[in-house]
Amino acid sequence: MHKKEEEADNIDKQELWERRLKWIMPFMAITFAILIWEFLVRYYEVPHYLIPAPSKISATLWTDGPSLLKAMLFTIKLTFFSLLLAIIGGVLLGMLFALSRTIEMSLFPFAVILQVTPIIAIAPLILIYVNSTFAALLICAWIVAFFPILSNTAIGLRSADHNLRDLFSLYRATPWQRLRFLMLPSALPYFMAALKIAGGLSLIGAVVAEFVAGTAGQNTGLASRILESSFRFEIPRMFAALFLVSILGVSIFLITSLLSHIVLGHWHESEIKREK
Amino acid sequence: MSKSNPIIHMGKVKKTFENGTLAVQGMTLDILKGQFISFLGPSGCGKSTVLKMIAGLLRPTSGQILINGKKPNEISSDQNIGYVFQDATLMPWATVEDNVFLPLRLKGITKYQASGDIEKALQKVGLKDFYKSYPRELSGGMKMRVSIARALIMKPKLLLMDEPFAALDEMTRFRLNDDVLSFWENADLTVIFVTHSVFESVYLSNRVIVMAPRPGRVIADISLKDSYPRSEEYRTTSAYTENCRLVSGHLKNSMVKE
Ligand SMILES: Nc1ncnc2c1ncn2[C@@H]1O[C@H](COP(=O)(O)OP(=O)(O)O)[C@@H](O)[C@H]1O
Ligand SMILES: [Mg+2]
């Protein structure tokens, strides 16, 4: 009895340790990489206009903080709204596709064309046709993020178990009940997978579109800061902006993963941790 | 309780699927109210197809199916039919409680109004303590019990079961067999039970319909002497063995003719 308790205790400790390890390991690896970077730059006396040391970058982050943060806020806004629009558009059109094969067959080619044409090639046109720069950037980022949500939602809505569908017919479910209680929950895992991809893509879209748009205007994002710095050979500033972009990307990844875990954790295989 | 009027009439029912498969042909059958009837046959002989046609989920290509004198898709929604599939067919995202609640929810009943019925249904299948569990946390037999609770919650007069216990271990199957028998005995219920097990069909039913494939058709209609209530002991009686031999014989005939 006593021994058993001890065993259970040990297992608990081990699990706790494993959970901590999941955070400690990447943290240590990154810290280590940064230290090596710092050491190499100092040891070989690499000039900071070639490769700045991490200490130099963080100093720049501090001094240029206000302007960089403002840019970051702009990029966040752009990314967030384009993702939001991608979700709304993707889910609505995905529902339409799931409802009617005819609509899907006629509209799907357009979605594919939008998807396969590199955004960098369409962006200049959009910037010409759309007056507001923010709207143009939004459209660019939206195009990139939209497709995975559309296609996954359409597939997910169709993935409902056929016996469950029969059951809903047996009980004379209305189309609305069928959508609400069967198709949407069935589509949720597919949608969450798409959201993880689309989150990253909307950031890429936002950055790429801004690169094409150039640095014109006051209200600009991190991509403009990077471009600007490259013109002025302010390499540390470029790295600082780059650092913020990756922080943004990582945050989006973490948030969408967490969201997926919250929504699916209690029932879907992809989010359930199997006991060994 | 009257157990003698036909609840289902099938006349020359034929089903050809769009791909040309002739699944069922020339099926004529009257099922009496209160019967426990088994459809027995090898896989592919059209048992599921017949069940789906009775439930109104598939339309016969020709012929007629009447439930209490009405076509399956015309019967009013309060004369509902219970349906149990081979796999439990639960919604993985919903708790046991919400799964059992589904038929009532689709009728527009609120969970508050339904809570009493849900509790009773779960109690009946011995899962009252699991109402907050998710299907993945249950064993195969427990999932099947949830599925049965869901089928019974609307108090149907007709219960269709499509090889419900085929995937379960023997002990669990025996226990569920007894449970289904007791539900049937204690309610005004007609059961159509699809199986490919001679022993299961003989243990449960008072009438066995033996079917043969290509095309799916009825080759024997065997009435078994009533000797309910049945329990484990019935499996060791000579009457049971005799019935099994009788039914097996018909089933073998269907294989030989092929
Ligand atoms: N939706 C369908 N489309 C085409 N053929 C089908 C379909 N459903 C069943 N079948 C065919 O009809 C025959 C009978 O099937 P089924 O009723 O499922 O048999 P059982 O339940 O007795 O195993 C089989 O040959 C099967 O392949
Ligand atoms: Mg079948």
Side-chain angles (χ1 to χ4, degrees):
Chain A
M1 186 69 201
H2 188 69
K3 204 170 172 198
K4 244 186 192 167
E5 261 170 38
E6 218 166 74
E7 227 167 70
D9 221 35
N10 276 344
I11 289 172
D12 266 6
K13 267 184 199 154
Q14 196 180 335
E15 193 176 308
L16 202 70
W17 175 238
E18 260 176 41
R19 213 178 296 164
R20 281 196 197 141
L21 225 56
K22 226 175 96 186
W23 293 99
I24 294 172
M25 286 318 286
F27 183 76
M28 292 219 306
I30 288 173
T31 312
F32 189 62
I34 290 175
L35 284 178
I36 288 187
W37 177 357
E38 182 82 33
F39 169 77
L40 288 177
V41 169
R42 281 173 191 240
Y43 187 79
Y44 291 103
E45 293 176 352
V46 184
H48 66 69
Y49 51 83
L50 282 184
I51 302 175
S55 55
K56 176 82 185 161
I57 296 171
S58 53
T60 314
L61 263 176
W62 183 251
T63 49
D64 283 358
S67 113
L68 283 176
L69 273 185
K70 211 177 132 204
M72 190 177 182
L73 222 60
F74 179 86
T75 303
I76 290 175
K77 210 168 74 180
L78 192 58
T79 306
F80 176 78
F81 279 116
S82 65
L83 184 60
L84 192 69
L85 290 180
I87 291 171
I88 294 172
V91 169
L92 285 183
L93 204 58
M95 281 185 193
L96 219 58
F97 279 16
L99 229 59
S100 151
R101 282 271 179 202
T102 324
I103 295 177
E104 177 176 16
M105 280 190 288
S106 8
L107 291 189
F108 201 68
F110 291 98
V112 172
I113 289 169
L114 272 182
Q115 162 71 10
V116 297
T117 314
I119 186 62
I120 203 156
I122 324 175
L125 268 181
I126 295 174
L127 281 156
I128 290 171
Y129 291 138
V130 180
N131 262 335
S132 146
T133 315
F134 186 76
L137 296 178
L138 203 58
I139 291 173
C140 292
W142 174 81
I143 286 175
V144 182
F146 163 74
F147 187 79
I149 297 205
L150 166 68
S151 85
N152 267 30
T153 305
I155 293 171
L157 287 171
R158 287 221 182 85
S159 74
D161 179 85
H162 67 275
N163 282 336
L164 273 176
R165 271 185 275 175
D166 274 351
L167 200 72
F168 273 65
S169 306
L170 188 73
Y171 289 118
R172 315 263 164 87
T174 63
W176 168 248
Q177 286 175 326
R178 191 178 282 267
L179 181 73
R180 165 75 184 76
F181 297 122
L182 178 61
M183 292 165 82
L184 286 181
S186 303
L188 209 52
Y190 293 79
F191 172 79
M192 293 315 299
L195 190 63
K196 282 190 204 169
I197 299 167
L201 283 179
S202 62
L203 178 63
I204 292 176
V207 169
V208 167
E210 217 192 327
F211 261 99
V212 177
T215 56
Q218 255 289 305
N219 237 346
T220 48
L222 285 171
S224 305
R225 294 289 88 79
I226 292 175
L227 265 183
E228 205 177 79
S229 315
S230 87
F231 291 149
R232 299 186 199 156
F233 266 107
E234 291 173 338
I235 307 302
R237 194 156 177 264
M238 215 167 146
F239 268 91
L242 204 56
F243 171 75
L244 291 180
V245 171
S246 1
I247 288 284
L248 212 56
V250 171
S251 310
I252 290 173
F253 175 78
L254 289 179
I255 291 171
T256 49
S257 297
L258 182 72
L259 212 62
S260 169
H261 183 76
I262 291 171
V263 174
L264 304 177
H266 59 286
W267 68 274
H268 198 255
E269 284 293 338
S270 66
E271 294 287 353
I272 291 166
K273 190 169 171 273
R274 283 258 156 235
E275 279 172 43
K276 278 165 268 180
Chain B
M1 194 168 23
S2 147
K3 292 208 172 191
S4 56
N5 312 328
I7 182 167
I8 297 172
H9 166 74
M10 302 178 69
K12 291 189 190 136
V13 170
K14 176 177 163 190
K15 177 68 190 179
T16 314
F17 282 106
E18 271 171 38
N19 62 7
T21 308
L22 178 56
V24 178
Q25 196 179 33
M27 187 131 172
T28 297
L29 195 66
D30 276 315
I31 296 172
L32 302 188
K33 210 169 171 186
Q35 274 186 330
F36 197 125
I37 188 167
S38 285
F39 286 175
L40 175 70
S43 130
C45 68
K47 305 183 296 290
S48 299
T49 306
V50 171
L51 222 53
K52 281 185 183 156
M53 286 193 290
I54 293 173
L57 297 170
L58 281 177
R59 210 178 284 270
T61 312
S62 66
Q64 190 184 39
I65 297 180
L66 296 176
I67 299 176
N68 285 328
K70 285 183 187 153
K71 286 187 179 158
N73 50 348
E74 283 171 359
I75 56 173
S76 70
S77 61
D78 50 276
Q79 281 186 308
N80 67 90
I81 296 172
Y83 203 114
V84 178
F85 300 89
Q86 175 171 352
D87 51 350
T89 310
L90 303 177
M91 301 177 290
W93 55 82
T95 58
V96 164
E97 186 184 24
D98 284 342
N99 267 290
V100 174
F101 173 45
L102 179 75
L104 296 173
R105 166 177 267 166
L106 294 178
K107 288 280 169 292
I109 294 166
T110 66
K111 190 138 168 211
Y112 179 74
Q113 291 170 313
S115 62
D117 283 351
I118 297 172
E119 198 184 325
K120 245 181 265 161
L122 283 176
Q123 183 150 33
K124 226 175 180 178
V125 296
L127 285 177
K128 209 175 67 140
D129 296 335
F130 292 89
Y131 70 107
K132 280 289 178 217
S133 303
Y134 284 90
R136 66 177 179 85
E137 298 163 335
L138 306 179
S139 68
M142 287 156 93
K143 280 186 213 165
M144 201 36 87
R145 286 169 190 278
V146 177
S147 190
I148 292 171
R150 178 180 61 192
L152 291 178
I153 196 167
M154 301 274 288
K155 301 184 181 69
K157 294 274 179 283
L158 181 61
L159 178 62
L160 310 178
M161 307 184 89
D162 192 354
E163 303 193 30
F165 310 139
L168 301 178
D169 62 89
E170 195 172 63
M171 275 172 300
T172 310
R173 188 164 65 226
F174 283 2
R175 191 136 26 90
L176 283 167
N177 281 165
D178 288 335
D179 286 349
V180 168
L181 273 182
S182 84
F183 298 148
W184 169 70
E185 276 161 10
N186 294 319
D188 180 15
L189 188 64
T190 307
V191 179
I192 305 180
F193 192 98
V194 167
T195 176
H196 55 237
S197 158
V198 172
F199 306 107
E200 197 174 33
S201 70
V202 170
Y203 184 69
L204 291 174
S205 37
N206 47 24
R207 185 175 172 198
V208 178
I209 306 292
V210 182
M211 293 179 69
R214 275 172 296 265
R217 64 200 184 276
V218 177
I219 55 162
D221 183 345
I222 307 158
S223 284
L224 302 178
K225 222 171 67 200
D226 262 317
S227 55
Y228 298 98
R230 292 172 182 172
S231 63
E232 277 310 306
E233 280 117 60
Y234 179 57
R235 290 187 202 277
T236 57
T237 61
S238 59
Y240 174 73
T241 332
E242 199 49 51
N243 282 339
C244 287
R245 190 173 302 140
L246 178 70
V247 172
S248 298
H250 284 287
L251 194 61
K252 258 186 215 116
N253 277 346
S254 83
M255 310 293 225
V256 170
K257 270 177 215 152
E258 253 192 282

